[in-house]
Amino acid sequence: MFVSVIIPALNEEEPIAGVVRECLATGVPSEVIVVDNVSTDRTAERAREAGARVVTAPRGYGRACATGTRAVSAECDIVVFLDGDGSDIPAFMPQLVEPIARKTHDFVIGSRTRGQREPGSMNFQQILSGRIAGWIMRGLYGVCYTDMCPFRAIRLDALAKLDMREETYGWNLEMQMKAARAGLRIVEIPVNHRNRTGGESKVSGTLRGTFVAGSRIIATLFRVAATPKE
Ligand SMILES: Nc1nc2c(ncn2[C@@H]2O[C@H](COP(=O)(O)OP(=O)(O)OP(=O)(O)O)[C@@H](O)[C@H]2O)c(=O)[nH]1
Ligand SMILES: [Mg+2]
């Protein structure tokens, strides 16, 4: 199986090399692609030095993920996403990829709320919003999610059919909703989570980030729930 790892990164010069190296150390990735969102620091350079291929994308978490998906090699079977801040633990990658490699599942998502969390690595709003979104999706599609974890693996051909549209923070939730609606075989796996290994928080650690991401996530929930299945 050819596994492409996609890491969106905005100004993550401190943690990014460690993230890339830890991914490669699992032996799972065939390639690691860091999507640099016009960082103003040395994120791209550090990522390259650590062994990643670097592509650039305009600002926006979803745009970064979409750009990364378009940049994978032609042989790619499975795409893995994780954050570039060191908070997701790449050592869980074999567990995320295995159900897809065994062909029992199409989409495997980590759950930080079901794993062990280093104190401070997730705040109350993140835990609660993941739970609430999970309850709503259970009502809508009968699929039980307990988190909107960015660390996830999906078959590339399945992802391509989801017609992903979200350009910013709605991307993760959109994928979960559309995967459930499309009837993909989904499994959630507990993953541990730690504090970012350097750099500064852009989302959950700031009031503005929380507000912007929160409103985008709510808008996504309504938009995808209201649009008929393509
Ligand atoms: N905010 C933001 N983050 C982006 C963007 N593109 C990529 N990212 C990356 O998205 C990931 C998540 O951002 P974080 O700042 O870690 O957000 P968070 O996980 O809610 O917050 P902390 O872990 O507390 O810092 C990181 O790898 C960022 O570098 C973008 O356009 N905006
Ligand atoms: Mg983070």
Side-chain angles (χ1 to χ4, degrees):
M1 285 273 168
F2 191 104
V3 179
S4 304
V5 174
I6 298 175
I7 309 176
L10 171 65
N11 291 334
E12 303 289 9
E13 71 176 0
E14 264 186 73
I16 195 69
V19 177
V20 172
R21 288 200 186 99
E22 282 186 53
C23 287
L24 292 169
T26 64
V28 173
S30 312
E31 63 182 352
V32 176
I33 300 171
V34 168
V35 189
D36 177 21
N37 271 180
V38 230
S39 296
T40 51
D41 65 3
R42 289 148 59 103
T43 298
E45 213 177 314
R46 294 273 155 81
R48 243 179 247 118
E49 284 163 10
R53 175 150 63 90
V54 177
V55 297
T56 52
R59 279 288 279 270
Y61 188 87
R63 286 187 199 98
C65 294
T67 301
T69 307
R70 284 192 297 270
V72 298
S73 300
E75 308 94 297
C76 173
D77 302 299
I78 300 173
V79 202
V80 175
F81 295 94
L82 77 162
D83 278 355
D85 63 357
S87 58
D88 298 312
I89 301 173
F92 285 87
M93 204 178 294
Q95 288 182 45
L96 284 188
V97 166
E98 203 209 36
I100 306 180
R102 272 196 283 114
K103 300 197 165 38
T104 58
H105 294 84
D106 310 300
F107 178 39
V108 185
I109 178 161
S111 169
R112 300 166 296 183
T113 60
R114 291 173 55 198
Q116 285 172 8
R117 274 164 281 121
E118 188 182 350
S121 64
M122 268 182 100
N123 63 28
F124 175 74
Q125 299 93 285
Q126 283 177 296
I127 295 172
L128 186 68
S129 59
R131 287 295 182 150
I132 293 175
W135 293 326
I136 295 173
M137 285 186 276
R138 191 165 67 185
L140 287 172
Y141 312 114
V143 173
C144 299
Y145 293 113
T146 61
D147 189 13
M148 290 184 273
C149 183
F151 195 13
R152 48 187 62 203
I154 185 165
R155 263 194 14 242
L156 178 64
D157 57 350
L159 175 61
K161 287 193 196 124
L162 298 185
D163 186 29
M164 295 288 294
R165 299 276 167 94
E166 284 300 317
E167 299 185 327
T168 60
Y169 298 117
W171 166 275
N172 283 337
L173 177 62
E174 181 185 31
M175 191 193 295
Q176 286 169 252
M177 293 178 80
K178 289 185 167 176
R181 193 173 69 179
L184 294 190
R185 296 165 302 167
I186 301 168
V187 62
E188 194 185 66
I189 285 178
V191 292
N192 298 348
H193 194 63
R194 60 194 176 197
N195 289 304
R196 52 162 54 244
T197 51
E200 273 164 32
S201 172
K202 278 126 227 144
V203 193
S204 66
T206 70
L207 199 59
R208 186 180 175 278
T210 302
F211 182 75
V212 171
S215 18
R216 197 57 239 164
I217 286 166
I218 293 164
T220 302
L221 193 56
F222 281 104
R223 183 183 68 77
V224 179
T227 47
K229 197 170 167 178
E230 288 90 11

